[in-house]
Amino acid sequence: DTEVTQTPKHLVMGMTNKKSLKCEQHMGHRAMYWYKQKAKKPPELMFVYSYEKLSINESVPSRFSPECPNSSLLNLHLHALQPEDSALYLCASSPSLAQGYEQYFGPGTRLTVT
Amino acid sequence: QKEVEQNSGPLSVPEGAIASLNCTYSDRGSQSFFWYRQYSGKSPELIMFIYSNGDKEDGRFTAQLNKASQYVSLLIRDSQPSDSATYLCAPVGGNEKLTFGTGTRLTIIP
């Protein structure tokens, strides 16, 4: 099984809402990532978890809150978002954080903030 | 200077020809290099990776790496319409983060 799954596929939320994005992998990977991708731009790294601990936070605003409940799951909690946060949110996983390990991406959640 | 530079294109190549995609990077600590393909509205899909200087072939794809010149390329032989996509170069930096280039949009003309 080389699949990373993400739910929901699409999400529309108001600026006062609280919602969560979910990511799951069953490949035994110990590193998991959140990326944000705007139209016609490359993915931008947001957070990295390694062995269920937050390893990298790319100075992301606190309205985005990541959580790694176990080695297979990664959540991204959203609160008080702005319209400019509308984007495709991608989850990825890799066997390890070390160099040389390829990342596998999920299909993404397309988020629209109204 | 951008960390990872790619020609944004669009690059138009006739069907059956060789498509050549180029990428330069600034982080000399980069040891691993990945090429991802991304269809419009879809997530990136890994197609090639290379760690050593020289060429690496996988089917119709060949990755070429020159660490001294900080240059990595992807050749696609016998281009097919299904190869039309954006190709993202992604070195792993000394900080172990994957940094994506802006991507090259490739169009294969039937």
Side-chain angles (χ1 to χ4, degrees):
Chain A
D1 182 5
T2 58
E3 191 178 19
V4 177
T5 59
Q6 289 187 245
T7 55
K9 291 184 179 179
H10 301 275
L11 177 63
V12 179
M13 61 184 291
M15 288 189 284
T16 58
N17 292 159
K18 286 184 180 181
K19 295 287 185 183
S20 296
L21 309 184
K22 180 179 174 181
C23 173
E24 194 165 5
Q25 58 88 13
H26 295 287
M27 295 179 277
H29 289 178
R30 302 316 300 264
M32 296 185 76
Y33 311 77
W34 280 115
Y35 289 86
K36 172 183 177 180
Q37 187 175 26
K38 303 281 273 185
K40 300 190 187 300
K41 297 289 187 183
E44 295 177 20
L45 184 64
M46 300 175 71
F47 302 104
V48 181
Y49 274 82
S50 178
Y51 288 86
E52 300 157 50
K53 293 192 185 320
L54 183 63
S55 178
I56 297 173
N57 176 342
E58 289 290 281
S59 302
V60 178
S62 60
R63 57 186 184 268
F64 295 91
S65 176
E67 178 196 20
C68 190
N70 61 56
S71 59
S72 300
L73 281 174
L74 186 65
N75 298 321
L76 186 62
H77 303 297
L78 314 172
H79 173 54
L81 295 192
Q82 304 298 308
E84 59 264 30
D85 296 321
S86 298
L88 179 67
Y89 287 83
L90 295 162
C91 173
S93 72
S94 67
S96 167
L97 188 58
Q99 282 213 32
Y101 286 108
E102 58 269 33
Q103 295 181 23
Y104 295 91
F105 283 82
T109 293
R110 188 160 299 281
L111 173 68
T112 303
V113 181
T114 61
Chain B
Q1 182 189 4
K2 293 182 182 176
E3 291 184 65
V4 184
E5 295 208 40
Q6 295 181 255
N7 186 333
S8 62
L11 175 65
S12 296
V13 173
E15 183 175 356
I18 296 175
S20 178
L21 307 166
N22 303 318
C23 173
T24 58
Y25 60 95
S26 61
D27 185 350
R28 287 196 172 273
S30 297
Q31 298 296 319
S32 309
F33 304 84
F34 299 92
W35 281 98
Y36 284 84
R37 176 176 63 198
Q38 188 171 25
Y39 293 113
S40 181
K42 301 295 185 182
S43 61
E45 172 192 9
L46 179 70
I47 54 172
M48 282 287 286
F49 59 90
I50 187 167
Y51 309 133
S52 304
N53 279 327
D55 295 359
K56 179 182 177 183
E57 188 174 317
D58 184 0
R60 295 187 297 114
F61 298 98
T62 298
Q64 299 174 317
L65 174 61
N66 183 327
K67 292 183 182 179
S69 300
Q70 295 175 253
Y71 174 89
V72 58
S73 66
L74 179 70
L75 301 178
I76 306 174
R77 289 183 301 281
D78 187 23
S79 297
Q80 303 296 309
S82 58
D83 295 327
S84 297
T86 296
Y87 289 80
L88 299 163
C89 170
V92 179
N95 55 11
E96 297 181 343
K97 292 190 296 186
L98 201 64
T99 300
F100 287 93
T102 52
T104 297
R105 188 156 55 95
L106 175 66
T107 300
I108 305 302
I109 304 168

